[in-house]
Amino acid sequence: MEKLLARIKITHNLTNDDVREIAMNIVDAFVEENLIEDNTDTNDDTEFAFQDIVHSKLNEIFNIKED
């Protein structure tokens, strides 16, 4: 990932909340494609774990700090 980040120069006005919404949309697409099980109304946090990972990686790419 470090080599990739060194090559990417992205200018943006995204906030941490914007990136979280993007992560949610990505995970929703995984659920729609049955790549991740829909855990709505359950005690299973797998969907949220995926969302947190995607959010963290996008924040790293866009150089955004967590609130």
Side-chain angles (χ1 to χ4, degrees), residues 2-4 6 19 22 26 33 36 41 48 58 60-61:
E2 295 299 322
K3 290 180 183 180
L4 174 64
V19 176
I22 293 168
I26 290 169
E33 294 295 324
I36 300 173
D41 299 325
F48 292 114
L58 288 173
E60 189 177 343
I61 291 167

Side-chain angles (χ1 to χ4, degrees), residues 33-51:
E33 294 295 324
N34 295 316
L35 298 171
I36 300 173
E37 187 175 336
D38 186 352
N39 299 127
T40 306
D41 299 325
T42 72
N43 290 331
D44 187 341
D45 291 335
T46 303
E47 201 172 326
F48 292 114
F50 274 91
Q51 179 183 314

